[in-house]
Amino acid sequence: MLHSTSLLHHNHHRFLFSFRSKPSLLDSHSQSQPLSFSKSLSLPSSSSSSSSTCCHVARISTEPLELSTPPPGFNFRREITRLTSLRDKLAACDTINDKLRIINADYRVRRFFGSSSRNAGLARVLSTLQLDSENLFLLKCLVAAGQEHVLCLEETMPEMGSSVTGSGSVKSAFYALAKMIEKMDSGNGNSGGGFGMGLEDHEIRELNKLLETLAQIERFYDCIGGVIGYQIMVLELIVQQLVERKNTNWSQHMHEVKEGQILGIDSPTGLDLSENTEYASQAALWGIEGLPDLGEIYPLGGSADRLDLVDPNTGECLPAAMLPFCGRTLLEGLIRDLQAREFLYFKLYGKQCITPVAIMTSSAKNNHKHITSLCETLSWFGRGQSTFQLFEQPLVPVVGAEDGQWLVTKPFSPLSKPGGHGVIWKLAHDKGIFKWFFCQGRKGATVRQVSNVVAATDVTLLALAGIGLRQGKKLGFASCDRVSGATEGINVLMEKKCPDGNWEYGVSCIEYTEFDKFGITNGSLPKSLQAEFPANTNILYVDLPSAELVGSSKNVNSIPGMVLNTRKTINYVDQFGRRCRLECTMQNIADNYFNSYSSRCYNGVEDELDTFIVYNERRRVTSSAKKKRRHGDKSLRQTPDGALLDILRNAHDLLSPCDIKLPEIEADENYVYSGPPFLILLHPALGPLWEVTRQKFNGGSISKGSELQIEVAELFWRNVQVNGSLVIKAENIMGSMKIDESGESILHHGQRCGRCKLQNVKVLNEGIDWSYGGNVYWKHDVKRSEVLQIILHGNAEFEATDVVLQGNHVFEVPDGYKLKIMPGSPGLAIQLDPIEEGMMDSGSWHWDYKIEGSHIKLEFVES
């Protein structure tokens, strides 16, 4: 190994300047594993007048950033063997001192922290920073894992996007040396025999953050060996990808799989909600009936880089949950959907039901802070703070896809991103989320992602949960046809042959990042896999006790579906290769629920499995606002623009059978350069089941270019023609707020709701200015020339019969009053009367909900 050293003298200060070629990972020894602790580190800060007891470092190095391809002779398996041995030795230790003794014997640690190392100065500083044993152990794990470059200081870091060569590095080091000597000459140095420059205050802060990151990795990934085990997993997956690149033949891959034995995959069969409508209705009723047994889980920790969402006022990057879609954030949309199901439960059973909601956040883009702030601003959506649990997922380092080296943005700062939603099960166990659900009597939960804006459409979510609860299933998927080329996985029925001779079957998922492994490439399937596979949508039903068993398993099973994701763009630009991160997928918890049989099964096995799947039309299952539409893009897929079109298609499907005439919606490409043919936005509490909503609407038309927005649950619509804009907004959509004993505002269903009754009404106005270039339709941010607005405060009621409402009007009805509009002589007759005292809570009319067989029937009742 090339290694030369130059000792320079200046004003009695000695500086060690060294350079050498990058050591190969083949230089190996020992290994590392987990350590759980929560102690925070408070490091002493430094300044130009540091005391002589604080050691200083000459921040000089000629070593470049890690290359994306391994150096000649790089041996992954030897490095994995070294790290595995170290991990196993650490796992056998009882105390932190034992762990330090083991880690100190590691070759890389000895070399980095040795007195003859070129890093001796940095090591000496670390030794004087009063690090406790646990934090010192974490830094040594980092070095043992081959990531000592994370500890390099400023002058070792090349500029973003610059080309780094050996001579360039040496030149940079000399410049750094000159800069350091200049500082010493100017009196900023330490004349007390120090060793070059000290750590700056900002470097102390970054080191603290690094230690926090390492502690999170060590603590959360304890089931695989902490920091060391994390790196082993990265390297093993890289090796697996290298092998798979040379072996893309499905049959050969199946033949070579030794222990896992996947002998076949097939398209799973399940209930099609769009075809078997009678059973779908029954399953949805099971879901409503079982609402008191259900919780709700939202994995919101992703960084959502493809949305490129920025606060227009501060310029701060925002998480997906904060995307303003159709007039409210995506998170508000999730809660509205949930409250609509709870309102339906109240209308059927006369009882209040508030579902506990667990939200997984992260620190990416201040995700946790923004979501907490939104909930607080909206008074926890009238549900009470105690009905929410927010738990934060750890960030993981972004690594080079070819060599597993952690990317570094600045000294002590590895580039980190959320590690996938598959961490949710172990994290939920670690944070007590399962126990929290159990304390509230919950048996199962529905899971959906924030970017999917149609998941709760009609029967989809309710039928999924209803079947899962009724049939005692452990996991269920809501699925649909897959669009070729979409960045989404597939649901499959897997068949495995076990070493003990048994056969295992289960419905599972293959992520799109793993298609190459199974020979599923370029949107087409190999000849042996001709079946059409359905899309994995990440809409799940989970049995909570079964999920807790997986999350608490203390092994790799608790973090299902680990993959190296090289498909997602990571906004980090330099000259070195591809970037990826270790991710895991929540839906692959299914791999823990396979059913075992003594002999091979050929037909009908799905009915007996602990896993199941239901289908519906794609736009009633998934339509995501995942990425920002770029200028010139002709595809609207997975953009907010495309998601809005699917919402409008659903509105068309919903209202057309009600004898309401609407314009047809054509293919997405027809709206790339123009707005949609109309805007219809309906509050989900009108249903949310379509058979409920349809009984509130009958007759009329909505003309092309018109806008209809209804924010009221108690609606009576008979023969209403809209040509322009009609906006109906109630303050009390599903009930009224009351202060509980803890001082929180809680929504009480059914009490003092706003109501709107329209019969034989024609609305004529100029409506939206479709020629205005500033309209953003998916935000529902539009310029109107004219509009008819009906605003209902408190329990206000509005009623219009046999009239034409032409032009720009705002009818604002105060709390406790009913406004009636009738034909006048001439014009309109407008009558405002107080609501009778005995009708203040129930209103002058209401819809009575009754279950008849597998259906819900509504009766219009006047008080």
Side-chain angles (χ1 to χ4, degrees):
M1 179 179 297
L2 188 65
H3 184 196
S4 67
T5 303
S6 172
L7 193 62
L8 305 180
H9 300 266
H10 181 78
N11 293 347
H12 307 293
H13 294 281
R14 304 172 65 209
F15 304 93
L16 185 66
F17 169 61
S18 65
F19 66 92
R20 57 179 167 183
S21 60
K22 182 185 183 305
S24 168
L25 285 179
L26 294 177
D27 300 333
S28 58
H29 275 30
S30 30
Q31 193 79 121
S32 151
Q33 195 249 338
L35 176 67
S36 296
F37 56 87
S38 58
K39 192 180 297 181
S40 61
L41 169 68
S42 177
L43 294 176
S45 61
S46 64
S47 66
S48 58
S49 60
S50 306
S51 75
S52 60
T53 59
C54 183
C55 190
H56 297 268
V57 174
R59 292 168 289 173
I60 302 170
S61 171
T62 61
E63 188 170 52
L65 282 178
E66 304 296 328
L67 298 176
S68 63
T69 54
F74 185 92
N75 191 316
F76 280 108
R77 296 196 183 280
R78 189 178 301 175
E79 178 69 358
I80 291 170
T81 300
R82 180 184 76 84
L83 291 174
T84 302
S85 173
L86 178 56
R87 181 191 63 190
D88 294 344
K89 291 177 183 177
L90 289 169
C93 294
D94 295 324
T95 67
I96 185 62
N97 289 332
D98 291 340
K99 290 174 182 282
L100 282 170
R101 178 177 52 80
I102 295 296
I103 201 81
N104 285 337
D106 179 74
Y107 166 71
R108 284 185 174 276
V109 174
R110 292 202 320 270
R111 185 180 63 189
F112 185 84
F113 288 93
S115 60
S116 61
S117 165
R118 70 183 179 82
N119 300 296
L122 175 59
R124 198 180 308 170
V125 163
L126 294 175
S127 70
T128 64
L129 289 177
Q130 302 174 5
L131 295 174
D132 61 26
S133 297
E134 292 169 339
N135 284 310
L136 187 59
F137 172 74
L138 290 173
L139 289 181
K140 291 184 176 182
C141 283
L142 179 73
V143 173
Q147 311 304 320
E148 58 267 28
H149 63 281
V150 175
L151 300 177
C152 290
L153 294 171
E154 288 176 358
E155 284 78 4
T156 71
M157 303 293 295
E159 293 295 324
M160 288 282 197
S162 65
S163 177
V164 179
T165 63
S167 61
S169 298
V170 175
K171 185 176 181 181
S172 298
F174 276 115
Y175 278 134
L177 181 63
K179 179 181 178 183
M180 182 178 59
I181 294 174
E182 182 180 356
K183 281 188 177 182
M184 303 297 284
D185 282 338
S186 65
N188 292 332
N190 178 3
S191 61
F195 192 87
M197 298 299 296
L199 293 183
E200 306 288 348
D201 286 348
H202 72 276
E203 291 167 339
I204 295 289
R205 288 192 294 270
E206 296 303 329
L207 181 56
N208 265 312
K209 291 179 183 177
L210 172 62
L211 289 167
E212 291 173 6
T213 298
L214 293 174
Q216 286 183 351
I217 296 172
E218 183 73 14
R219 188 164 50 246
F220 181 77
Y221 291 96
D222 57 356
C223 58
I224 60 173
V227 173
I228 300 297
Y230 177 90
Q231 190 63 20
I232 292 171
M233 184 64 68
V234 168
L235 296 177
E236 287 178 339
L237 289 170
I238 289 176
V239 170
Q240 180 179 313
Q241 288 187 351
L242 291 173
V243 171
E244 287 161 3
R245 289 176 197 170
K246 300 177 182 179
N247 176 27
T248 57
N249 180 272
W250 167 259
S251 60
Q252 183 180 352
H253 175 74
M254 289 297 96
H255 177 72
E256 290 183 355
V257 174
K258 302 292 183 191
E259 209 173 340
Q261 335 86 200
I262 300 176
L263 296 187
I265 64 174
D266 203 349
S267 181
T269 60
L271 172 67
D272 189 328
L273 301 173
S274 64
E275 293 184 358
N276 194 340
T277 55
E278 195 67 23
Y279 190 83
S281 296
Q282 180 61 71
L285 281 179
W286 291 337
I288 287 294
E289 180 185 6
L291 206 60
D293 295 326
L294 289 170
E296 193 99 343
I297 300 175
Y298 303 145
L300 307 187
S303 57
D305 292 330
R306 290 179 292 173
L307 266 179
D308 196 20
L309 183 60
V310 175
D311 187 314
N313 298 318
T314 66
E316 182 184 8
C317 292
L318 296 174
M322 302 301 294
L323 180 75
F325 184 81
C326 291
R328 62 196 56 84
T329 65
L330 289 180
L331 177 56
E332 290 174 81
L334 293 188
I335 301 298
R336 276 162 57 98
D337 287 342
L338 175 59
Q339 289 177 322
R341 299 195 294 277
E342 294 168 341
F343 183 69
L344 177 57
Y345 179 86
F346 170 80
K347 295 292 283 186
L348 286 171
Y349 300 105
K351 294 183 288 186
Q352 179 104 351
C353 176
I354 300 181
T355 306
V357 178
I359 302 177
M360 184 175 73
T361 65
S362 77
S363 61
K365 299 181 179 177
N366 287 319
N367 177 302
H368 184 85
K369 183 193 79 172
H370 284 297
I371 290 172
T372 302
S373 177
L374 178 64
C375 292
E376 290 173 346
T377 300
L378 298 176
S379 301
W380 299 95
F381 306 95
R383 308 173 65 78
Q385 184 175 354
S386 64
T387 64
F388 287 87
Q389 283 288 316
L390 274 61
F391 57 113
E392 194 169 345
Q393 76 176 105
L395 303 184
V396 299
V398 177
V399 303
E402 303 296 339
D403 61 2
Q405 293 288 284
W406 297 9
L407 301 189
V408 181
T409 59
K410 56 185 176 180
F412 308 128
S413 299
L415 181 65
S416 298
K417 296 284 183 179
H421 42 54
V423 303
I424 198 167
W425 312 119
K426 182 179 186 299
L427 195 64
H429 166 72
D430 292 350
K431 300 295 184 180
I433 303 301
F434 290 115
K435 290 183 179 178
W436 177 70
F437 276 131
F438 297 148
C439 286
Q440 299 180 70
R442 307 296 156 153
K443 302 174 183 177
T446 47
V447 185
R448 63 179 289 197
Q449 291 183 288
V450 72
S451 59
N452 184 354
V453 297
V454 300
T457 302
D458 195 17
V459 297
T460 300
L461 207 56
L462 284 170
L464 175 72
I467 293 171
L469 278 172
R470 190 80 171 193
Q471 299 183 3
K473 300 290 188 178
K474 294 182 178 179
L475 185 75
F477 297 87
S479 188
C480 58
D481 291 338
R482 184 175 183 274
V483 176
S484 180
T487 54
E488 59 191 13
I490 56 174
N491 290 125
V492 298
L493 174 65
M494 280 192 178
E495 178 184 65
K496 295 182 180 181
K497 180 68 179 292
C498 303
D500 61 5
N502 285 334
W503 295 80
E504 288 188 348
Y505 296 86
V507 179
S508 187
C509 166
I510 299 174
E511 264 299 298
Y512 70 95
T513 56
E514 301 293 280
F515 283 175
D516 290 347
K517 179 194 298 186
F518 295 91
I520 305 172
T521 57
N522 299 322
S524 60
L525 302 175
K527 292 182 179 179
S528 58
L529 298 173
Q530 287 295 330
E532 286 289 327
F533 286 92
N536 174 65
T537 65
N538 287 334
I539 304 172
L540 307 174
Y541 164 80
V542 294
D543 175 69
L544 289 172
S546 300
E548 187 191 30
L549 282 176
V550 174
S552 62
S553 58
K554 299 186 184 302
N555 56 43
V556 70
N557 291 336
S558 65
I559 311 176
M562 283 203 193
V563 296
L564 276 181
N565 192 344
T566 61
R567 304 292 181 91
K568 288 184 180 177
T569 302
I570 296 175
N571 295 323
Y572 177 90
V573 181
D574 72 6
Q575 71 278 21
F576 302 124
R578 295 182 297 155
R579 308 303 175 196
C580 62
R581 63 183 181 269
L582 184 63
E583 290 189 350
C584 46
T585 52
M586 63 181 179
Q587 64 274 14
N588 281 100
I589 192 176
D591 297 337
N592 293 276
Y593 301 142
F594 279 42
N595 293 78
S596 182
Y597 298 86
S598 58
S599 59
R600 193 171 192 177
C601 303
Y602 292 95
N603 295 306
V605 69
E606 284 100 323
D607 292 340
E608 304 173 9
L609 300 179
D610 289 327
T611 52
F612 72 101
I613 192 168
V614 297
Y615 296 99
N616 207 339
E617 290 187 34
R618 183 177 176 89
R619 62 175 174 264
R620 301 183 196 176
V621 179
T622 181
S623 188
S624 296
K626 283 186 176 181
K627 61 184 181 180
K628 181 179 181 180
R629 182 186 168 201
R630 304 294 177 183
H631 180 71
D633 282 356
K634 295 186 177 180
S635 173
L636 303 183
R637 184 179 301 157
Q638 296 186 321
T639 67
D641 312 71
L644 174 63
L645 286 173
D646 282 335
I647 286 176
L648 300 181
R649 291 186 180 100
N650 285 333
H652 184 282
D653 294 346
L654 167 64
L655 296 178
S656 291
C658 303
D659 196 25
I660 297 175
K661 297 178 181 178
L662 299 106
E664 293 294 329
I665 304 180
E666 300 173 359
D668 284 4
E669 53 265 26
N670 295 306
Y671 305 105
V672 171
Y673 301 111
S674 68
F678 55 81
L679 281 179
I680 298 179
L681 301 174
L682 306 178
H683 195 286
L686 284 163
L689 297 178
W690 283 7
E691 77 166 4
V692 172
T693 311
R694 283 171 175 161
Q695 295 176 68
K696 298 178 180 181
F697 286 87
N698 184 47
S701 63
I702 298 170
S703 302
K704 185 175 182 179
S706 292
E707 173 194 19
L708 175 63
Q709 181 185 6
I710 299 179
E711 292 289 307
V712 63
E714 297 287 10
L715 175 76
F716 182 93
W717 170 298
R718 295 295 182 266
N719 190 30
V720 179
Q721 300 175 50
V722 179
N723 191 343
S725 288
L726 171 59
V727 176
I728 306 170
K729 290 185 177 181
E731 192 175 83
N732 294 352
I733 298 174
M734 296 168 284
S736 59
M737 295 289 188
K738 292 187 177 180
I739 305 298
D740 68 1
E741 59 276 5
S742 64
E744 288 191 287
S745 294
I746 304 297
L747 174 65
H748 286 255
H749 290 138
Q751 294 188 8
R752 300 180 63 88
C753 293
R755 301 168 201 278
C756 183
K757 184 179 180 182
L758 304 174
Q759 191 164 1
N760 299 323
V761 174
K762 183 177 290 187
V763 177
L764 296 173
N765 57 62
E766 294 296 319
I768 292 174
D769 180 1
W770 295 89
S771 65
Y772 177 61
N775 289 337
V776 184
Y777 300 105
W778 59 266
K779 287 185 179 181
H780 201 208
D781 182 4
V782 296
K783 179 182 178 182
R784 300 181 181 94
S785 299
E786 291 181 325
V787 61
L788 169 60
Q789 288 192 73
I790 300 170
I791 301 173
L792 306 174
H793 294 281
N795 67 341
E797 299 183 15
F798 179 89
E799 184 175 322
T801 307
D802 301 327
V803 294
V804 176
L805 301 176
Q806 187 168 1
N808 198 51
H809 293 283
V810 177
F811 295 108
E812 192 163 1
V813 189
D815 184 21
Y817 283 83
K818 180 176 184 177
L819 180 66
K820 296 180 67 174
I821 300 181
M822 303 161 288
S825 181
L828 302 175
I830 301 177
Q831 181 178 325
L832 180 66
D833 297 314
I835 298 173
E836 293 181 22
E837 189 63 33
M839 301 180 184
M840 279 293 181
D841 284 343
S842 60
S844 64
W845 63 268
H846 67 275
W847 288 107
D848 188 36
Y849 291 47
K850 291 182 179 178
I851 297 175
E852 294 184 5
S854 59
H855 296 278
I856 300 173
K857 299 298 183 182
L858 269 61
E859 180 184 358
F860 182 78
V861 178
E862 293 188 277
S863 301

